[in-house]
Amino acid sequence: IYVTVNATAASAENYTTWPNMKTLTFTGSDAGITATVNQFPFLVRLTAADSAIFSGAGANGANIRFSRTDAIKLKYSIDHWDAANRSAAIWVLMDQVVTGANTLRIHWGNGTATSLSSPSAVFSRGNGFVTVHHLGNPTGDAQTSARPNSVQPGVNDAAPVNLPTGYAVTQGVIGRADTLGGGTGGTSPTGHHFHFGTLGLGTFTTGGAATISMWVRPTSLATGFVQFFTIGNTAGGNNS
């Protein structure tokens, strides 16, 4: 779900007027946090135990909001929202997470509020992200269309390549997911994969360094070199 945030409207909102509020507490060390981390996208999951939120948060979680316990508002991005099956995954940008107890609040039930979900506010260039892709397009989107880049939708979206006829996304650990067979063949792999377009060397660091991470659940392991995504650096004609 991608929307343009109206910063003026967000800052003017008074969450004390939201009729419902729930406090969430988590331990940073349980999330693998070994030292204080700033600007941390924290995953909030909603399940059948949160039926009241699904019933009152509006279509696609339109009026859901997050804040610190001192009322400071927190930016968020709805990755997945399925009210019928009581399942949602929401990334909330915590300004600081410690190894011990961390607390935030979730607000819902204001029927006049519209969605402020913003992937680019949570996964921003200023926070060190270049591209972030939540695979598996939302229900209703073309299953073979590009997966948007949360940092800047429309730029370096993940374009699926060689997906089979009738391809359909599946349910992942966080929201929806894609199943890829990978491909071989150098710059023209033949298997299922995603192409992220081109990113010049200077996009990352002066020397072109970057960290790339993927969450993968393998069902089998290939014995040779397999490509699951391609990306060009525009150097020496290397554009794919």
Side-chain angles (χ1 to χ4, degrees):
I1 300 171
Y2 298 90
V3 300
T4 300
V5 173
N6 184 324
T8 301
S11 62
E13 290 183 336
N14 180 0
Y15 294 170
T16 62
T17 65
W18 263 245
N20 304 295
M21 185 273 289
K22 178 179 181 180
T23 299
L24 307 177
T25 301
F26 68 95
T27 302
S29 59
D30 290 343
I33 302 298
T34 57
T36 299
V37 178
N38 297 321
Q39 300 300 299
F40 182 80
F42 174 70
L43 176 65
V44 174
R45 298 177 186 271
L46 300 180
T47 66
D50 303 296
S51 289
I53 298 177
F54 285 105
S55 297
N60 296 317
N63 68 59
I64 203 168
R65 298 291 190 271
F66 296 87
S67 73
R68 301 188 327 195
T69 54
D70 60 2
I72 298 296
K73 300 177 178 66
L74 299 174
K75 300 172 183 177
Y76 68 96
S77 171
I78 299 177
D79 177 292
H80 169 72
W81 186 276
D82 184 352
N85 292 304
R86 297 296 194 256
S87 173
I90 308 165
W91 296 98
V92 180
L93 185 61
M94 301 286 290
D95 50 3
Q96 186 176 86
V97 173
V98 299
T99 58
N102 299 268
T103 305
L104 68 154
R105 289 174 175 169
I106 179 170
H107 310 263
W108 74 96
N110 185 335
T112 63
T114 57
S115 181
L116 294 181
S117 170
S118 176
S120 61
V122 176
F123 303 97
S124 68
R125 289 295 295 269
N127 200 18
F129 295 101
V130 175
T131 63
V132 174
H133 300 87
H134 302 297
L135 302 185
N137 275 358
T139 302
D141 288 4
Q143 304 298 281
T144 55
S145 64
R147 279 48 172 163
N149 174 11
S150 294
V151 179
Q152 189 176 0
V155 178
N156 290 108
D157 290 345
V161 181
N162 298 330
L163 294 185
T165 301
Y167 176 82
V169 303
T170 186
Q171 189 66 30
V173 175
I174 301 174
R176 297 166 73 78
D178 285 296
T179 302
L180 303 175
T184 59
T187 59
S188 300
T190 57
H192 321 148
H193 67 283
F194 284 97
H195 181 56
F196 296 88
T198 60
L199 287 168
L201 289 174
T203 302
F204 305 104
T205 67
T206 302
T211 298
I212 299 175
S213 61
M214 301 177 68
W215 291 353
V216 179
R217 187 185 71 176
T219 55
S220 62
L221 294 175
T223 57
F225 177 75
V226 178
Q227 292 174 310
F228 291 101
F229 69 89
T230 58
I231 188 169
N233 63 12
T234 71
N238 181 16
N239 293 318
S240 63

